[in-house]
Amino acid sequence: MAKRDYYEVLEVSRDASAEEIKSSYRKKAIQFHPDKNPGNSEAEENFKEASEAYEVLSDADKRARYDRFGHDGLRGGQDFRSSGSVDDIFSAFGDIFGGSIFGDFFGGGQARGRGRRSPGEPGSDIKIRLPLTLEEIATGVEKNIKLKRMVNCDECSGSGAKPGSGHATCPTCNGAGEIRQVSRSLFGQFVNIQPCPACNGAGQIIKDHCMACSGEGRVKGEDTITVKIPAGVEEGNYLPVRDRGNAGRRGGTPGDLIVIIEEKEHENFTRQGNDIIFELMISYPSAALGTEVEVPTLHGTEKIKIEAGTQPGTTIKLRDKGIPFLNSYGKGNQIVYVNVFVPKKLDSKEKALLKELEEKPNICPRKKDQKKSKDFIDKIKDLFS
């Protein structure tokens, strides 16, 4: 079944603020929480759906990608937990409710087990700008990108621990991986559970730090990454490359590489959506008499016919010579704008020829208009005579 629009799921407008999205999600989560709706599979699905929508709309990058491309824009780049258990959703959205508040609020003190986290911390994303020519955009292209990033330490395989030293139980949380704080209010007892800051929720700490990376589990390095850019991208589009950002600390999940598309200025063409615009300059004799000219396209050259009497500003459409539609079929067109060249410098012979032409009624619009005006006046006189 097709997924519903995330804004519809949370019942917010497309220009809703982050606070409005957060508030709406809070209401939905409380309404459909499984502890409040025991045995109600529909409520649990609604809870997961709201959680998935919030995960996207609360993240500025994912929201922008979703606004531009819809659900298709998140394929290969999303990390939804809606297909897992409800407990997984608590882990993803604990920042909204301050830990497993639901356990005591709905279930009378039956706290849900959160499970231990990885001992590492997630790596950060890396954003780079990739300039492309219109020719590359028209055909799609593979680019080898060399970038500096944090990579896993070879000495400790990214763990941060000295080889052979192992780990010890965290003294701050006694191996639980979480810190609980109990508070009371008029509504009863609330339990706020947060990951242990000393071990990052892992329940264990490193005994001896790796000397090569000082216990970080990662070091500075360089990498060359091949990125395949599909045909039809445009300025501002971005391509997420999963797990090719900075390595996480002490075995944490790596971040993503975000490739932001830039369009290089073209010497011949201007892009307008999926169409490309080309301005053709021809001489006055060519416009008056007609001719054939060869124009550049993104795929070579094309001969076009200029009809006799072509006026400045005339457009000629070359079908399917534009930019392909992204992730779809078909292409835009090339629009040729015809303009007539007016010389700024003339020699004496050229001036004499133009002076002679200026006296011809088919050449000079003023002479032609004068004749039409005289004919019109004569007709009016005949009507009233």
Side-chain angles (χ1 to χ4, degrees):
M1 188 173 66
K3 290 185 178 182
R4 287 202 297 156
D5 180 75
Y6 288 146
Y7 292 98
E8 179 186 339
V9 170
L10 295 183
E11 296 181 346
V12 295
S13 65
R14 301 193 80 83
D15 59 354
S17 66
E19 194 57 40
E20 288 172 329
I21 291 172
K22 182 176 181 179
S23 175
S24 178
Y25 170 65
R26 186 193 299 267
K27 292 175 184 176
K28 293 286 183 185
I30 292 175
Q31 178 185 355
F32 295 119
H33 189 274
D35 282 349
K36 193 177 180 183
N37 303 272
N40 188 336
S41 59
E42 183 179 353
E44 182 169 336
E45 286 305 312
N46 287 335
F47 181 79
K48 291 179 180 180
E49 185 182 43
S51 300
E52 179 179 310
Y54 178 76
E55 182 174 354
V56 171
L57 299 185
S58 63
D59 183 291
D61 286 341
K62 289 181 181 178
R63 182 178 180 180
R65 192 157 69 240
Y66 177 73
D67 286 345
R68 185 179 288 268
F69 301 113
H71 294 292
D72 289 341
L74 301 169
R75 289 178 182 173
Q78 57 186 351
D79 188 24
F80 295 137
R81 305 168 193 263
S82 57
S83 60
S85 67
V86 177
D87 292 339
D88 293 331
I89 296 174
F90 293 149
S91 297
F93 298 98
D95 61 315
I96 294 293
F97 302 99
S100 56
I101 183 176
F102 287 121
D104 291 312
F105 190 81
F106 292 115
Q110 295 179 357
R112 296 180 179 270
R114 296 167 62 85
R116 291 183 180 177
R117 294 188 175 190
S118 162
E121 297 176 9
S124 59
D125 294 341
I126 298 175
K127 293 183 179 181
I128 64 165
R129 296 187 175 274
L130 181 62
L132 299 175
T133 65
L134 282 179
E135 285 83 359
E136 290 172 329
I137 290 172
T139 59
V141 66
E142 281 192 0
K143 289 283 188 178
N144 292 324
I145 301 172
K146 188 175 183 180
L147 71 157
K148 295 180 178 181
R149 67 187 189 106
M150 301 300 293
V151 298
N152 283 332
C153 173
D154 290 334
E155 184 72 18
C156 63
S157 300
S159 69
K162 185 178 179 180
S165 66
H167 294 76
T169 300
C170 175
T172 303
C173 63
N174 294 320
E178 57 189 23
I179 303 296
R180 297 185 174 217
Q181 294 178 330
V182 180
S183 61
R184 297 181 180 277
S185 71
L186 293 174
F187 299 102
Q189 177 175 292
F190 291 85
V191 179
N192 185 4
I193 303 176
Q194 298 289 351
C196 173
C199 63
N200 193 39
Q204 294 181 323
I205 58 173
I206 296 172
K207 283 184 180 179
D208 296 313
H209 288 174
C210 170
M211 299 299 291
C213 62
S214 301
E216 284 282 303
R218 60 183 187 175
V219 294
K220 291 180 180 180
E222 288 188 354
D223 210 350
T224 299
I225 297 171
T226 301
V227 180
K228 187 174 182 179
I229 308 297
V233 295
E234 61 181 308
E235 179 92 19
N237 285 167
Y238 57 91
L239 180 71
V241 185
R242 294 296 306 275
D243 300 335
R244 301 311 295 266
N246 286 314
R249 293 181 69 243
R250 300 175 183 175
T253 55
D256 298 336
L257 172 64
I258 310 296
V259 181
I260 303 171
I261 302 300
E262 288 185 346
E263 290 182 12
K264 292 182 180 179
E265 187 175 345
H266 202 282
E267 62 176 347
N268 294 324
F269 305 118
T270 302
R271 182 174 181 176
Q272 193 173 80
N274 287 86
D275 294 337
I276 59 168
I277 311 301
F278 175 72
E279 185 174 356
L280 173 65
M281 192 71 72
I282 62 174
S283 68
Y284 169 71
S286 294
L289 300 174
T291 187
E292 275 195 356
V293 295
E294 202 170 63
V295 297
T297 73
L298 291 175
H299 309 280
T301 59
E302 185 90 2
K303 272 191 175 182
I304 62 174
K305 185 177 181 180
I306 305 296
E307 300 289 347
T310 292
Q311 301 298 305
T314 297
T315 60
I316 300 172
K317 183 184 292 185
L318 302 181
R319 294 192 176 277
D320 300 328
K321 295 296 182 181
I323 305 291
F325 293 99
L326 181 64
N327 297 327
S328 184
Y329 297 102
K331 295 180 180 180
N333 305 310
Q334 178 168 321
I335 310 299
V336 179
Y337 280 91
V338 180
N339 214 337
V340 176
F341 173 72
V342 178
K344 293 182 178 181
K345 292 183 178 180
L346 298 168
D347 60 27
S348 58
K349 188 174 181 180
E350 290 166 339
K351 287 179 181 179
L353 286 170
L354 289 178
K355 284 283 187 183
E356 182 180 346
L357 284 173
E358 192 177 22
E359 299 302 319
K360 306 296 182 181
N362 289 330
I363 297 296
C364 181
R366 185 177 71 248
K367 299 288 186 183
K368 210 170 186 180
D369 290 343
Q370 285 174 354
K371 185 177 184 306
K372 286 182 179 179
S373 177
K374 183 178 181 304
D375 292 343
F376 178 73
I377 292 171
D378 290 342
K379 286 181 181 179
I380 295 296
K381 285 180 178 179
D382 290 342
L383 286 174
F384 291 96
S385 60

